[in-house]
Amino acid sequence: MKSPASTQNRVREISILLVEDDQGDAVLLQNLLKRSKQLHVGITHAESIKQAESFLDTGSYDIVVLDLTLGDTKGLGTLQRLGSRILEIPIVVMSGIDDETVAIKAVQKGAQDYLIKGQADASTLERTLLYAVERFSHGRELRATQERFRLIVQSSADGIVIVDADGMVSFVNQAALDLFKKTDDELIGRTFAYPIVTTGHSEICIPQDGAADKTVEMRSVQLEWEGAPAVLILLRDISERIKLDKLKDEFVGNVSHELRTPLTIIRESISQISDGICGPTTDKQSRFLNKSLANIDRLRNIIDNLLDISKLEEGKLELYREPHDLLPIVNDIIDGFEPQFRKKGLTIKNVSKIDSLYAHIDREKIIQVLTNFVGNALKFTETGGVELLAEQVANDVVCTIRDTGKGIAQADFKSLFNKFEQVARQHGAGEKGTGLGLSISKGIIELHGGTVGVRSTENVGSSFFFTIPLQRTESESSEDLLRYITRFIQDHHEFTLVSIDLQQYLSSVFTLIEGVPARHIRQLSQLLEREVKKMDGQVLAAGVGIFILFPNKNQVGGLLMIRLVKQWIDRWPDLQRDHAPEINIKSVSYPFDGRTSLELVAKLQQERRTGLAKILVVDDEPDILELIQNRLEGEGFNVNTAGDAVEALEKMEDYRPDLVTLDILMPGVIGDEAGYGASLCDTLKSVEDYKDIPIVMISALRRDTKEEVRRMVERADAYFTKPFDSGELIAKIKGILKID
């Protein structure tokens, strides 16, 4: 807004429509405005609302100065008569009514300001008119901008939803209504039904009545909407894109298959002729046949490289990472290349100084990278040989391939890993290639979260190396899991996802020496894989956990799967049962717990957080003990049990529960002749390490039965009388532990 100070060096011309039936007041106002040094005004005088409306219909004015008491209308009704004009022209009320309530209502009805006759001097009047004109101008621009924004939003092909800070829908455009197959009334003012991701994007599945569900990409940005914090959600229907991508993948796969099949037939036919199976060949024939075999292999590699670079560029090259020891992989590479090196009079050896080095990698992709690097070293080395070194440097696995070849000029380093770059190709016909190997290798390593590099001196040799983080980030593990789940959704109508969280178990059992937990995870993963394959399932080791996907299972099946997995884990040779926390196992089901991979993982994370809460159930009735344990485990809690107070105290030391459920009538209660559980409750509350652990009483005794019971209830956090409502018990426990 401009102020008088900003316009003091120029005179502002404005046209005023003065609506005033008192001639004396009209003359007074004109005289006041003549004194203005910043305004040059042209005044048109109307003595009634009817006359003012006529002037407004035929003329153009910058502002209206309006008296509320006229011959043909009085009070706020005067302003209401001009109500339709309020959005077209600013109105300043100048009235003899000295009433603050009237002034406020006038502004609420659209007036820019309210002046009282006889109290406004020339300076005040000048400033008021200037401010009113400028404020109205800015307001009109803002309204126009907002209207343009609404038109853009409404005409957008993408769905747009505005959600307020409370998660309620404030606005929705037509495209979003079409996506959800709902009306304004069914969405606005209601909670937005999907989790909002504030960074990056997510995919949600929107059911469609009588049609295929829509897959929608959702992005969000924080903004201010109608003066309050809100989130703008952009919804883009990617169902067709996914369908087209799938068709494209199928096309590429089919083309690849159609090329590989004849190549395989050609290669094997030539190979059988070369090996003499079809009859003897001359030396000259054998030489040409071997050249054909070499070029067929080269053509196969070109096909593989073109497919890989295409997937890398589209972000579709997937990694299937598991814990692997790199040393056997390095040795396999050396064994595979050794005949070629020996034929060329070169050596190749492993100079690593460790026996094992585990990392979470896609084994086949790392073999591809090593093959590219070693193949290049062989290609450009004429004397000496190649050394492979695998080592741990800080928190990274580092693999180095050193050769004694021709070296690379430093000027070529920058373009070395670019597509179709072939540094030093002039060195001979035997060194041809597509120029894609190093670029693909770089992409594969970067997908692993690592880097590639080179050190080289011309005529001395080169060292190509790559690094991979020793520990995978949580986001990398999640990405792998999301890809596995997405594929499973495409192939199965229903399935169960089981999560085995080993973090607490491993940190308790092992001192985390390099490689030890990874080896144990791999052993358990292989044990589970043998069993899961029998059920057409899949196993994914990710970080310090293992995920299992079982097809064709429903929610009830999920609980059965957990019990089955526990039986398999019990056969794990390295399982430590003494003084070790129980392994946390959770499950979710598709499509009952979520219709997209993101929704399933979010639900699973919630279940796993719940599972971290440990509950000790104390009751001398085995059936009651089993029922409570089963119910709590079904809700995702980590449960341990005790049949009496003595056993409960013994388990408190190792188990360290977050909450205890306690029966009152139990045998073996320490120091309690009546056989009540009061003494155990007193003991737990008197020990420093246990006094803050919540206790939930579950008993056949009513809380008002005896004085001891009433006293104990006062010390407990909750009390339930048998038979109890299990839903209420779970709700109370979650409330005490502050679990959503």
Side-chain angles (χ1 to χ4, degrees):
M1 185 187 343
K2 296 178 183 177
S3 67
S6 66
T7 60
Q8 62 184 358
N9 294 325
R10 65 183 180 87
V11 176
R12 175 77 178 269
E13 291 190 6
I14 63 173
S15 175
I16 300 175
L17 175 61
L18 172 62
V19 187
E20 172 63 68
D21 64 346
D22 189 304
Q23 189 65 32
D25 288 340
V27 172
L28 179 62
L29 177 64
Q30 294 181 57
N31 290 335
L32 286 174
L33 290 173
K34 286 179 181 178
R35 300 176 194 172
S36 172
K37 297 179 180 180
Q38 298 185 57
L39 295 177
H40 183 274
V41 300
I43 299 178
T44 300
H45 181 203
E47 296 183 353
S48 66
I49 281 292
K50 185 176 181 180
Q51 188 178 17
E53 290 174 334
S54 177
F55 285 147
L56 287 170
D57 289 336
T58 58
S60 176
Y61 303 94
D62 297 310
I63 191 168
V64 174
V65 177
L66 175 68
D67 184 14
L68 292 183
T69 305
L70 300 172
D72 53 352
T73 181
K74 288 182 172 37
L76 293 174
T78 306
L79 187 60
Q80 290 174 332
R81 285 281 298 271
L82 295 180
S84 61
R85 315 274 184 171
I86 287 175
L87 296 179
E88 302 172 3
I89 187 170
I91 299 176
V92 171
V93 173
M94 193 166 187
S95 174
I97 303 173
D98 187 359
D99 187 323
E100 184 176 349
T101 301
V102 174
I104 292 173
K105 288 183 177 180
V107 173
Q108 289 174 343
K109 290 182 179 297
Q112 293 291 318
D113 212 331
Y114 189 98
L115 297 177
I116 300 170
K117 292 180 180 180
Q119 296 184 15
D121 56 19
S123 176
T124 300
L125 181 59
E126 175 186 82
R127 186 169 58 251
T128 299
L129 295 178
L130 273 173
Y131 282 173
V133 170
E134 292 293 339
R135 186 164 53 243
F136 183 83
S137 176
H138 286 296
R140 183 163 51 191
E141 291 174 3
L142 179 60
R143 288 192 297 274
T145 301
Q146 289 175 336
E147 183 59 27
R148 285 195 297 272
F149 173 74
R150 286 183 179 272
L151 287 174
I152 292 171
V153 167
Q154 284 292 5
S155 61
S156 172
D158 292 330
I160 295 176
V161 180
I162 306 292
V163 178
D164 65 20
D166 296 323
M168 309 297 285
V169 176
S170 301
F171 172 85
V172 57
N173 74 343
Q174 186 59 48
L177 293 175
D178 293 341
L179 277 174
F180 289 111
K181 300 292 184 186
K182 293 183 182 294
T183 63
D184 279 332
D185 293 339
E186 291 174 311
L187 289 177
I188 293 178
R190 300 176 185 271
T191 303
F192 188 65
Y194 296 87
I196 299 173
V197 178
T198 55
T199 58
H201 70 275
S202 61
E203 291 182 9
I204 61 174
C205 181
I206 301 179
Q208 305 289 305
D209 292 337
D213 293 351
K214 289 188 179 294
T215 302
V216 175
E217 181 181 83
M218 182 171 73
R219 298 179 183 270
S220 63
V221 61
Q222 295 181 340
L223 48 63
E224 191 172 279
W225 179 261
E226 297 180 345
V231 176
L232 183 148
I233 298 170
L234 183 68
L235 303 168
R236 176 165 294 176
D237 185 356
I238 59 173
S239 304
E240 285 301 315
R241 190 181 79 192
I242 290 175
K243 184 178 178 181
L244 290 173
D245 285 346
K246 188 174 182 180
L247 289 173
K248 179 182 176 182
D249 291 342
E250 290 175 355
F251 173 76
V252 171
N254 289 336
V255 170
S256 172
H257 174 75
E258 292 302 322
L259 286 173
R260 292 175 195 276
T261 300
L263 278 177
T264 301
I265 295 171
I266 293 169
R267 192 188 191 289
E268 183 57 26
S269 298
I270 294 174
S271 177
Q272 290 188 19
I273 295 172
S274 177
D275 292 340
I277 294 175
C278 301
T281 58
T282 65
D283 291 343
K284 185 176 182 179
Q285 288 172 333
S286 294
R287 188 167 67 254
F288 279 104
L289 289 170
N290 288 334
K291 285 183 179 180
S292 298
L293 288 173
N295 279 279
I296 289 172
D297 289 341
R298 181 167 168 251
L299 181 57
R300 181 193 61 199
N301 290 334
I302 290 172
I303 294 171
D304 290 341
N305 285 340
L306 288 172
L307 290 173
D308 284 344
I309 202 70
S310 175
K311 289 181 179 179
L312 276 170
E313 288 179 340
E314 295 177 10
K316 293 182 178 179
L317 188 66
E318 296 184 354
L319 300 183
Y320 303 104
R321 286 176 281 195
E322 293 180 328
H324 286 288
D325 188 349
L326 282 171
L327 272 299
I329 296 175
V330 169
N331 289 329
D332 288 344
I333 292 291
I334 291 173
D335 292 341
F337 272 98
E338 201 276 332
Q340 299 176 58
F341 274 80
R342 187 172 63 249
K343 183 178 180 180
K344 201 172 177 181
L346 303 174
T347 62
I348 179 171
K349 56 184 177 180
N350 185 353
V351 294
S352 304
K353 298 178 181 179
I354 52 179
D355 295 328
S356 64
L357 182 57
Y358 277 81
H360 281 86
I361 59 173
D362 184 318
R363 186 176 185 276
E364 296 305 316
K365 294 294 188 291
I366 293 301
I367 289 174
Q368 184 178 351
V369 171
L370 287 170
T371 300
N372 278 332
F373 284 160
V374 174
N376 280 342
L378 173 64
K379 187 186 301 183
F380 292 101
T381 302
E382 300 301 329
T383 60
V386 172
E387 295 179 341
L388 280 75
L389 171 66
E391 58 185 338
Q392 180 181 342
V393 179
N395 294 320
D396 290 330
V397 171
V398 182
C399 286
T400 305
I401 297 89
R402 294 194 294 252
D403 65 54
T404 56
K406 300 168 184 178
I408 302 167
Q410 191 167 359
D412 292 328
F413 282 12
K414 188 174 181 180
S415 61
L416 194 60
F417 292 96
N418 292 344
K419 287 186 301 181
F420 304 111
E421 291 286 344
Q422 294 177 287
V423 175
R425 178 168 178 166
Q426 67 271 20
H427 286 303
E431 296 161 8
K432 293 180 180 179
T434 60
L436 293 173
L438 291 180
S439 179
I440 292 170
S441 298
K442 179 175 181 287
I444 289 172
I445 295 302
E446 288 177 348
L447 282 177
H448 279 83
T451 59
V452 296
V454 62
R455 295 182 290 269
S456 185
T457 303
E458 288 188 270
N459 301 318
V460 175
S462 303
S463 292
F464 283 82
F465 63 89
F466 64 84
T467 69
I468 297 174
L470 193 63
Q471 298 295 331
R472 301 173 65 232
T473 65
E474 184 177 346
S475 63
E476 288 171 337
S477 297
S478 296
E479 288 171 7
D480 283 352
L481 180 59
L482 287 172
R483 280 194 289 268
Y484 268 75
I485 296 173
T486 299
R487 282 205 312 278
F488 235 69
I489 288 174
Q490 294 171 353
D491 297 335
H492 300 280
H493 295 296
E494 297 180 10
F495 62 84
T496 297
L497 170 62
V498 175
S499 162
I500 305 171
D501 187 355
L502 297 166
Q503 184 170 4
Q504 284 190 328
Y505 172 81
L506 291 174
S507 61
S508 173
V509 173
F510 298 108
T511 302
L512 297 182
I513 304 171
E514 173 193 333
V516 171
R519 282 199 294 272
H520 283 268
I521 292 174
R522 185 184 182 192
Q523 290 167 1
L524 178 57
S525 178
Q526 290 173 341
L527 182 153
L528 294 171
E529 208 166 80
R530 288 193 295 270
E531 300 295 336
V532 171
K533 281 184 176 178
K534 300 174 185 176
M535 304 176 68
D536 296 324
Q538 289 187 9
V539 175
L540 169 66
V544 287
I546 297 173
F547 298 93
I548 305 175
L549 287 157
F550 292 101
N552 303 321
K553 301 295 174 185
N554 54 29
Q555 285 177 300
V556 176
L559 296 175
L560 296 176
M561 286 301 104
I562 288 178
R563 292 196 182 98
L564 193 58
V565 169
K566 285 182 177 180
Q567 293 175 14
W568 294 338
I569 292 176
D570 283 340
R571 301 206 300 267
W572 184 21
D574 293 329
L575 180 64
Q576 303 291 319
R577 292 178 173 83
D578 297 333
H579 307 293
E582 186 174 348
I583 295 172
N584 183 23
I585 306 175
K586 292 272 131 314
S587 75
V588 293
S589 298
Y590 172 84
F592 308 102
D593 293 318
R595 302 182 69 88
T596 67
S597 56
L598 195 68
E599 291 173 5
L600 286 171
V601 169
K603 177 68 173 177
L604 186 61
Q605 289 172 341
Q606 179 184 348
E607 293 289 330
R608 290 173 70 175
R609 284 194 297 270
T610 304
L612 296 178
K614 298 188 292 185
I615 299 179
L616 177 63
V617 180
V618 187
D619 199 299
D620 66 316
E621 287 287 344
D623 291 342
I624 295 292
L625 205 62
E626 183 180 0
L627 287 170
I628 295 176
Q629 179 183 8
N630 191 56
R631 172 63 70 176
L632 291 173
E633 287 181 343
E635 291 292 330
F637 291 103
N638 186 325
V639 182
N640 208 331
T641 60
D644 56 45
V646 175
E647 185 183 1
L649 286 173
E650 291 173 350
K651 290 195 172 181
M652 290 293 294
E653 179 70 24
D654 295 327
Y655 185 58
R656 295 298 177 111
D658 299 298
L659 181 142
V660 176
T661 71
L662 175 62
D663 185 17
I664 296 179
L665 285 173
M666 291 186 303
V669 175
I670 301 169
D672 186 18
E673 295 179 359
Y676 297 138
S679 59
L680 177 57
C681 180
D682 288 341
T683 300
L684 295 179
K685 292 297 183 182
S686 64
V687 176
E688 183 66 26
D689 289 345
Y690 306 151
K691 66 179 184 179
D692 294 325
I693 296 176
I695 295 177
V696 175
M697 297 291 185
I698 302 175
S699 178
L701 293 176
R702 288 171 49 191
R703 64 177 63 202
D704 58 352
T705 302
K706 290 182 177 293
E707 180 61 32
E708 293 95 329
V709 176
R710 289 195 295 272
R711 180 176 60 83
M712 187 162 46
V713 168
E714 291 173 359
R715 305 198 66 183
D717 294 83
Y719 188 94
F720 287 85
T721 303
K722 298 176 183 176
F724 55 87
D725 186 305
S726 58
E728 293 179 2
L729 173 64
I730 296 300
K732 175 60 72 174
I733 289 174
K734 287 184 176 181
I736 293 172
L737 296 177
K738 295 181 172 59
I739 295 172
D740 295 333

